[in-house]
Amino acid sequence: MNTMTEVATQNTIISTNPATGEKLGELACATPEEVHDAVRRARQAQPAWQALAVAERVAVLKRFQRKLSEQREQVAMLISREAGKPTVEALTTEILVVLDAAEFCIRTAHGFLRDEPLPHANLAMKTKRGKLVREPYGVIGIIAPWNYPFSLPATETLAALVTGNAVVLKPSEMTPLVALELQKLLYTAGLDPSLMQVVIGAGPVGGALLESDIDKVIFTGSVATGKRVGEAAARRLLPAVLELGGKDPMIVLEDADLEVASSGAVWASMMNAGQTCLSIERCYVQRSVYEKFVELCRQKIGKLRVGEGIGSEVEMGPLIHERQLRTVENQVNDAVARGARLLAGGRRMSELGPNFYAPTLLADVTQDMLIMREETFGPALPVAAFDTDDDAVALANDSEFGLAASVWTGNRKRGEAIAARIKAGTVMINDAISGFGIAEAPHGGFKQSGIG
Ligand code: NAD
């Protein structure tokens, strides 16, 4: 089935289970007028929401949290069905993350929104007093991707709502049903429906949202689309947060616990079938432990159970779409053609369904290979050796991306010294990805990985 053709010709989108190809639903795309109407309704409802006491907005979040907790199994199943990831993974990386983010908003909203005195030391202004007052933007437009179809828009929506904003969400055309579920949960928590609306559709609907009367846009997606969104926002000086792609490096030093590091590498490269903005996409290992590390990864990758996400036995699901599969395939083939050693995977698993690709391990990769330069967004772990700490830093920084990175070592000081020299929004030591699950930790990228 060619979903994109149907999008273009019928003005509908088809939600499909990526594991089976089964059609889950067909939804009409919002017209530009409907997008503008949604924003207008949000604008009308927002001042009353802003005028409420913080405790009343917090109460809605608390009810949302309770509803989500009660319905976590069903929501996780829906995420599995529409996005392909194992249900257990949906529970931990989507539902738990949102429950925790809700808790963070609930706990910090009062303090964050309280007016702050602004002490100053300017003698000429000695008699003047000022204060910092935090105000909502108004209507926030959120444009979301499919890879974390629940946790990304939900965390952004909750933060926007608790601070007194209204939200119009344009979810990915691949995962509209999950976005509608988020909306339903908020409505059953008692939120005025005008304050959180979902507009369904592909790129043109996102374009219409950018042309509408929103006060800020929060975009998460690819660099190519992010640049288009950034341009459209700049034309009208619309504040924009751009959360874009990544090519996160992992540096394994010779003093690392190789059991832990190899498990970390496999987990963080294969989670969500590698379709995580923070997944490990490049792995650099100090030469003296290189072969041992590669062998441990080979053994662990060989044990991964791949299949349809709904079912507790499975650790890795399908890719979202055949297009994604072709990208991974191209990069793996390019690496092998240029001399990389293929130690696991490197093939489609058509016997499982239309979009499965085997967990892949490549050794002896070099910086010129596509798989070390472009975002893969698939289940591939490319590994290369390095000699000195300086070499490791140079390799890690040799990328147009700068979302996150990790350093694995038994010597924390050495790890921190290397971390300080890596140009990335987040650098973790002996860990990867998990920074995103901590609501208190900021998340954002350097270079092409984003702004804001
Ligand atoms: P995408 O750029 O294809 O689409 C993202 C969203 O933008 C979708 O909702 C899409 O419909 C919409 N869109 C497409 N064209 C548009 C246009 N012209 N105007 C407005 N909106 C438009 O990205 P994707 O394939 O859905 O997501 C995967 C990408 O997202 C990867 O690159 C990944 O690294 C990135 N990502 C980044 C983060 C982060 O926090 N930095 C998190 C998750 C995903």
Side-chain angles (χ1 to χ4, degrees):
M1 168 174 34
N2 187 337
T3 309
M4 297 315 290
T5 310
E6 296 197 40
V7 168
T9 55
Q10 298 173 8
N11 211 24
T12 60
I13 54 169
I14 312 273
S15 164
T16 308
N17 180 335
T20 59
E22 172 207 0
K23 177 174 163 178
L24 301 174
E26 181 164 357
L27 296 94
C29 296
T31 62
E33 295 72 42
E34 284 166 342
V35 174
H36 287 261
D37 282 349
V39 174
R40 214 169 292 128
R41 271 195 303 277
R43 179 162 301 296
Q44 275 164 9
Q46 185 271 334
W49 176 244
Q50 172 181 354
L52 288 179
V54 178
E56 292 187 62
R57 297 201 297 268
V58 162
V60 173
L61 265 66
K62 283 185 178 163
R63 288 196 295 272
F64 165 82
Q65 204 185 23
R66 213 168 34 245
K67 297 268 172 221
L68 175 59
S69 185
E70 283 163 12
Q71 292 173 32
R72 60 189 180 277
E73 301 287 341
Q74 298 100 287
V75 181
M77 299 268 268
L78 175 64
I79 297 170
S80 278
R81 207 168 286 124
E82 199 175 39
K85 63 190 72 182
T87 312
V88 175
E89 194 179 307
L91 270 173
T92 51
T93 65
E94 304 251 24
I95 312 283
L96 277 184
V97 166
V98 174
L99 288 173
D100 190 56
E103 187 62 31
F104 174 74
C105 291
I106 290 164
R107 193 161 28 85
T108 56
H110 286 95
F112 178 75
L113 293 169
R114 197 172 294 133
D115 293 353
E116 252 179 68
L118 205 62
H120 63 83
N122 187 333
L123 285 178
M125 306 278 176
K126 212 167 174 234
T127 58
K128 320 264 181 199
R129 239 175 271 138
K131 62 180 178 178
L132 200 65
V133 178
R134 289 198 166 80
E135 291 190 11
Y137 278 91
V139 182
I140 309 276
I142 296 177
I143 302 179
W146 48 264
N147 63 334
Y148 286 85
F150 190 73
S151 59
L152 288 172
T155 51
E156 292 161 356
T157 297
L158 293 178
L161 288 174
V162 84
T163 46
N165 297 284
V167 167
V168 178
L169 165 65
K170 207 300 280 172
S172 167
E173 56 276 28
M174 311 276 182
T175 50
L177 299 180
V178 173
L180 291 172
E181 187 64 27
L182 168 65
Q183 183 186 41
K184 198 164 100 196
L185 281 162
L186 282 162
Y187 290 178
T188 51
L191 186 75
D192 172 349
S194 300
L195 292 168
M196 196 285 188
Q197 298 171 75
V198 175
V199 288
I200 297 291
V205 179
L209 187 58
L210 287 165
E211 297 301 320
S212 75
D213 192 25
I214 53 173
D215 298 294
K216 180 170 182 168
V217 63
I218 300 178
F219 171 82
T220 310
S222 62
V223 174
T225 313
K227 284 182 179 167
R228 259 177 255 138
V229 170
E231 278 169 18
R235 274 198 293 276
R236 45 173 291 208
L237 289 183
L238 178 71
V241 171
L242 304 175
E243 298 278 11
L244 311 180
K247 190 77 200 161
D248 291 4
M250 168 185 199
I251 295 174
V252 183
L253 301 176
E254 80 246 301
D255 58 6
D257 181 330
L258 294 186
E259 275 297 342
V260 172
S262 55
S263 294
V266 173
W267 174 71
S269 59
M270 302 298 159
M271 180 185 186
N272 200 19
Q275 304 166 112
T276 300
C277 57
L278 293 167
S279 65
I280 288 173
E281 292 234 342
R282 299 179 285 148
C283 186
Y284 303 110
V285 185
Q286 201 143 23
R287 202 171 299 280
S288 57
V289 296
Y290 175 71
E291 285 302 339
K292 187 168 177 209
F293 176 86
V294 166
E295 175 53 22
L296 284 169
C297 290
R298 193 190 64 77
Q299 288 169 14
K300 290 172 185 180
I301 282 179
K303 289 185 187 151
L304 288 178
R305 289 165 295 185
V306 184
E308 191 179 349
I310 302 169
S312 56
E313 297 296 298
V314 167
E315 282 135 350
M316 199 184 96
L319 298 182
I320 191 77
H321 198 280
E322 216 262 335
R323 247 194 337 266
Q324 204 64 38
L325 208 120
R326 267 183 272 134
T327 304
V328 182
E329 207 163 46
N330 274 344
Q331 293 189 9
V332 171
N333 292 346
D334 169 79
V336 172
R338 294 193 206 201
R341 256 190 301 154
L342 178 66
L343 296 174
R347 65 177 186 90
R348 292 184 183 214
M349 300 176 91
S350 317
E351 67 280 15
L352 295 178
N355 298 321
F356 287 93
Y357 195 82
T360 296
L361 177 65
L362 289 163
D364 307 345
V365 294
T366 49
Q367 285 297 98
D368 56 322
M369 296 174 181
L370 288 179
I371 204 155
M372 298 301 265
R373 306 228 67 85
E374 295 177 3
E375 192 177 45
T376 308
F377 235 52
L381 178 62
V383 192
F386 71 86
D387 292 305
T388 65
D389 291 9
D390 284 351
D391 293 344
V393 171
L395 287 164
N397 285 334
D398 177 23
S399 171
E400 59 182 26
F401 296 98
L403 193 56
S406 61
V407 185
W408 300 68
T409 172
N411 179 341
R412 205 191 162 99
K413 268 215 160 103
R414 185 177 169 201
E416 282 178 6
I418 291 178
R421 296 169 62 198
I422 297 178
K423 274 237 163 267
T426 308
V427 188
M428 284 159 272
I429 294 178
N430 294 326
D431 207 347
I433 300 182
S434 60
F436 184 76
I438 295 169
E440 285 81 355
H443 169 70
F446 282 20
K447 304 194 253 182
Q448 302 278 300
S449 290
I451 297 175

